[in-house]
Amino acid sequence: MTRSVTARVPAKVNVQLAVGGLRPDGFHDLANVFLAVGLYDEVTATPADELRITVSGADAHAVPLDRTNLAARAALALAARHGIEPRVQLHIAKDIPVAGGMAGGSADAAGALVACDALWGTAAPRTELLEICAELGSDVPFSLVGGAALGRGRGELLTPLETGSTFHWVFAVAEGGLSTPAVYRECDRLRAADGQGATVADVPDPEPSPALLDALRTGDARALAAAVTNDLQPAALSLRPGLAATLSAGTGAGALAALVSGSGPTCAFLAEDAEAAASVAKGLAASGTCRAVRVATGPAPGAAVVGA
């Protein structure tokens, strides 16, 4: 019987995304406070005659099936480091919104790394997996680690954060996606148009909010709601003005805080407790401002093998 290994990996929400100026290399320094939430993709690795990608679930049609897929790139990177032919089929069961600002592609990369490492018996140390993650993308290391963390640099330099409680979230999934590079370009354009400038010489170095970190540590949802920020939100709203109605519908339904998740277009709403989250979800579903509504809690664990 052919052995398969399945890894489960969570989505994320950025409770703070502070974006520095445009660097000469085209990237931006970040103070990125990640919280993993309980919406999961599963990546199953099975021996095959060549590298193949298959996808099922919501928006599967929007996921590339070639070697541009981050999960495929993860398998290729791990195989290259260990002198292995990447003869594996990776099946991605999608439950994280695609191109929704919740790191679905990054999650798949981390899941593929964990699943292939177990399938091939490479026994790669955590430091090696994190190095590969950082090569693949800014959000991939956090998808491996999960929980809560502060990301510096491009977001890949992680410091784990303490959380004092479970936080309740509602996510409004928009029709279609948003390109993360396009949102960063719009952020730079808006900053330049405002006259403040968009480069590292113009924009202060991004720093995490002490009040936000304290709210996470103490588990205070109301304090966290008062501190959440996303510097990419004006750019996401500029590209997708309809998101303003979604944010308004969520706050009108009782959310403590509303923000665009990462580069969007998914919108995230913090609720006081499970009952309040259900009420917010009901209000959003009735508002007609989004395609789907999901409820989840965080922090959630990072990428891990769940079946072999």
Side-chain angles (χ1 to χ4, degrees), residues 118-195:
L119 181 71
W120 294 335
T122 45
R126 190 80 159 175
T127 52
E128 180 183 328
L129 293 179
L130 283 169
E131 284 174 8
I132 296 173
C133 286
E135 292 166 4
L136 293 169
S138 301
D139 288 347
V140 184
F142 179 71
S143 295
L144 183 73
V145 172
L150 168 64
R152 304 303 296 257
R154 293 181 289 108
E156 82 282 13
L157 305 174
L158 297 177
T159 302
L161 296 174
E162 182 183 351
T163 51
S165 183
T166 296
F167 294 97
H168 297 266
W169 292 89
V170 181
F171 298 96
V173 182
E175 197 68 58
L178 268 177
S179 159
T180 298
V183 175
Y184 274 96
R185 286 194 297 271
E186 183 68 0
C187 177
D188 295 335
R189 188 192 72 79
L190 290 174
R191 285 173 168 177
D194 284 345

Side-chain angles (χ1 to χ4, degrees), residues 1 49 51 71 74 77 80 86 97-98 116 137 144 149 163 177 183 187 203 217 243 249 254 266-267 300 302:
M1 184 175 179
D49 55 355
L51 177 60
V98 175
C116 287
L144 183 73
T163 51
V183 175
C187 177
V203 181
R217 183 182 57 78
L243 296 179
T266 301
C267 293

Side-chain angles (χ1 to χ4, degrees), residues 28-209:
H28 300 74
D29 285 321
L30 304 176
N32 196 350
V33 181
F34 295 102
L35 184 71
V37 294
L39 300 178
Y40 300 95
D41 282 1
E42 290 192 348
V43 182
T44 300
T46 304
D49 55 355
E50 63 179 359
L51 177 60
R52 290 198 299 272
I53 303 290
T54 56
V55 185
S56 64
D59 302 323
H61 66 278
V63 179
L65 302 180
D66 58 16
R67 294 191 175 198
T68 63
N69 186 296
L70 273 177
R73 290 173 55 197
L76 289 166
L78 182 66
R81 285 192 176 222
H82 291 270
I84 295 168
E85 287 295 323
R87 297 190 179 103
V88 64
Q89 175 180 336
L90 296 174
H91 179 74
I92 303 169
K94 291 294 300 179
D95 195 38
I96 301 172
V98 175
M102 298 188 74
S106 297
D108 297 341
L113 268 184
V114 169
C116 287
D117 179 56
L119 181 71
W120 294 335
T122 45
R126 190 80 159 175
T127 52
E128 180 183 328
L129 293 179
L130 283 169
E131 284 174 8
I132 296 173
C133 286
E135 292 166 4
L136 293 169
S138 301
D139 288 347
V140 184
F142 179 71
S143 295
L144 183 73
V145 172
L150 168 64
R152 304 303 296 257
R154 293 181 289 108
E156 82 282 13
L157 305 174
L158 297 177
T159 302
L161 296 174
E162 182 183 351
T163 51
S165 183
T166 296
F167 294 97
H168 297 266
W169 292 89
V170 181
F171 298 96
V173 182
E175 197 68 58
L178 268 177
S179 159
T180 298
V183 175
Y184 274 96
R185 286 194 297 271
E186 183 68 0
C187 177
D188 295 335
R189 188 192 72 79
L190 290 174
R191 285 173 168 177
D194 284 345
Q196 71 179 88
T199 71
V200 287
D202 307 309
V203 181
D205 290 340
E207 293 295 337
S209 159

Side-chain angles (χ1 to χ4, degrees), residues 154-303:
R154 293 181 289 108
E156 82 282 13
L157 305 174
L158 297 177
T159 302
L161 296 174
E162 182 183 351
T163 51
S165 183
T166 296
F167 294 97
H168 297 266
W169 292 89
V170 181
F171 298 96
V173 182
E175 197 68 58
L178 268 177
S179 159
T180 298
V183 175
Y184 274 96
R185 286 194 297 271
E186 183 68 0
C187 177
D188 295 335
R189 188 192 72 79
L190 290 174
R191 285 173 168 177
D194 284 345
Q196 71 179 88
T199 71
V200 287
D202 307 309
V203 181
D205 290 340
E207 293 295 337
S209 159
L212 182 136
L213 298 182
D214 190 58
L216 280 175
R217 183 182 57 78
T218 59
D220 188 331
R222 287 187 172 272
L224 181 62
V228 296
T229 56
N230 178 3
D231 286 356
L232 292 182
Q233 183 162 311
L237 287 169
S238 174
L239 295 173
R240 295 283 291 274
L243 296 179
T246 310
L247 294 170
S248 178
T251 52
L256 298 178
L259 73 163
V260 173
S261 180
S263 57
T266 301
C267 293
F269 303 89
L270 181 60
E272 179 117 40
D273 51 29
E275 182 179 356
S279 180
V280 171
K282 183 178 178 181
L284 280 165
S287 72
T289 63
C290 55
R291 176 166 60 91
V293 179
R294 306 295 303 279
V295 177
T297 60

